[in-house]
């Protein structure tokens, strides 16, 4: 079976089973929003799948900082497939059987995907029991020793700690530590996300 044929079957099965568990689908992700969090299953062909999470406030804040003059409303699916996708953190993953592609069939893949969604639901419930509020996402990062500069500075901003966030951003500018995205400005220069963040924080500090 051709890879394109397998991919088509995989997407159909992911969508069908995902609906049973309240997941929606866009391209390579299946996602749901629950209790202020965005949960997504990122599935790579018939290789593996991973469950990621992030608070909705991080997406909304990042968009406001980078695009201050643009409407903040956007399709929720773009939280997982667009400019906002890099803000998620992994909480669980599973590899598919190594011979799955060679011996692929819909009948074989369906119970595998059913098991994936079942486990994902268990992981989501366990996560929400431990971190029921998006304001606890910083604790999740700390508990799991996740070092993500961007997530940490956005959490500081969300908590209103603009001076601390500004110092944090200054420390990342120049060496590009923690920088994922940069933009080409009208004058031909590049501007990285931590420069946008620093400007936002300084403005907030000035406003009092």
């Amino acid at each position: 079976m051709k890879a394109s044929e397998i991919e088509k079957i995989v997407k159909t099965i992911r969508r069908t089973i995902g609906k049973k568990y309240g997941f929606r689908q866009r391209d390579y992700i299946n996602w749901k929003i629950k209790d202020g969090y965005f949960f997504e299953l990122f599935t790579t062909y018939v290789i593996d799948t991973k469950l990621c999470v992030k608070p909705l406030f991080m997406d909304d804040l990042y968009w406001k900082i980078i695009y201050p003059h643009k409407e903040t409303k956007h399709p929720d699916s773009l939280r997982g497939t667009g400019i906002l996708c890099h803000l998620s953190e992994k909480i669980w993953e599973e590899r598919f059987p190594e011979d799955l592609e060679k011996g692929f069939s819909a009948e074989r893949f369906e119970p595998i995907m059913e098991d994936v969604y079942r486990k994902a639901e268990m992981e989501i419930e366990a996560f929400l029991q431990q971190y029921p509020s998006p304001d606890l996402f910083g604790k999740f990062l700390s508990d799991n020793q996740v070092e993500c500069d961007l997530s940490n500075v956005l959490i500081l901003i969300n908590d209103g700690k603009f001076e601390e966030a500004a110092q944090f951003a200054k420390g990342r500018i120049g060496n590009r530590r923690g920088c994922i995205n940069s933009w080409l400005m009208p004058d031909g220069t590049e501007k990285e996300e931590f420069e946008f963040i620093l400007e936002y924080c300084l403005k907030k500090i000035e406003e009092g």
Side-chain angles (χ1 to χ4, degrees), residues 89-130:
E89 297 295 340
K90 182 178 66 178
I91 57 176
W92 170 77
E93 67 179 334
E94 185 166 299
R95 292 192 65 83
F96 297 143
E98 292 185 2
D99 66 341
L100 182 56
E101 180 177 16
K102 185 176 180 180
F104 183 84
S105 68
E107 291 74 19
R108 185 182 180 194
F109 188 69
E110 284 178 2
I112 291 175
M113 209 63 216
E114 183 81 45
D115 191 52
V116 163
Y117 279 110
R118 181 182 60 80
K119 290 178 179 177
E121 281 294 280
M122 292 174 62
E123 292 292 336
I124 289 173
E125 291 307 311
F127 175 89
L128 290 175
Q129 284 185 12
Q130 192 167 2

Side-chain angles (χ1 to χ4, degrees), residues 94-193:
E94 185 166 299
R95 292 192 65 83
F96 297 143
E98 292 185 2
D99 66 341
L100 182 56
E101 180 177 16
K102 185 176 180 180
F104 183 84
S105 68
E107 291 74 19
R108 185 182 180 194
F109 188 69
E110 284 178 2
I112 291 175
M113 209 63 216
E114 183 81 45
D115 191 52
V116 163
Y117 279 110
R118 181 182 60 80
K119 290 178 179 177
E121 281 294 280
M122 292 174 62
E123 292 292 336
I124 289 173
E125 291 307 311
F127 175 89
L128 290 175
Q129 284 185 12
Q130 192 167 2
Y131 311 103
S133 168
D135 291 335
L136 294 172
F137 194 67
K139 186 176 186 306
F140 162 75
L141 297 178
S142 177
D143 289 347
N144 292 275
Q145 298 181 326
V146 178
E147 295 184 5
C148 180
D149 292 343
L150 187 55
S151 293
N152 286 326
V153 77
L154 290 174
I155 289 171
L156 288 173
I157 294 172
N158 186 64
D159 291 342
K161 299 177 180 179
F162 300 115
E163 292 189 6
E164 190 175 344
Q167 291 302 316
F168 192 103
K170 285 179 182 178
R172 276 41 179 190
I173 295 172
N175 60 11
R176 298 178 63 84
R177 179 183 169 187
C179 178
I180 302 295
N181 292 313
S182 60
W183 285 260
L184 183 64
M185 304 306 289
D187 62 1
T189 61
E190 281 195 1
K191 187 174 181 179
E192 65 179 46
E193 54 199 2

Side-chain angles (χ1 to χ4, degrees), residues 10-25 28-32 40-43 49 51 92 94 96 109-124:
V10 165
K11 284 186 176 181
T12 299
I13 291 174
R14 282 173 39 222
R15 179 182 295 108
T16 301
I17 299 177
K19 283 183 178 180
K20 292 166 49 178
Y21 291 88
F23 282 82
R24 300 176 67 180
Q25 181 164 304
Y28 45 83
I29 69 164
N30 295 82
W31 57 274
K32 67 161 57 177
E40 61 176 324
L41 272 172
F42 182 103
T43 304
T49 190
L51 178 66
W92 170 77
E94 185 166 299
F96 297 143
F109 188 69
E110 284 178 2
I112 291 175
M113 209 63 216
E114 183 81 45
D115 191 52
V116 163
Y117 279 110
R118 181 182 60 80
K119 290 178 179 177
E121 281 294 280
M122 292 174 62
E123 292 292 336
I124 289 173

Side-chain angles (χ1 to χ4, degrees), residues 80-91:
T81 60
I83 190 65
L84 303 171
C85 67
H86 65 305
L87 298 173
S88 297
E89 297 295 340
K90 182 178 66 178
I91 57 176

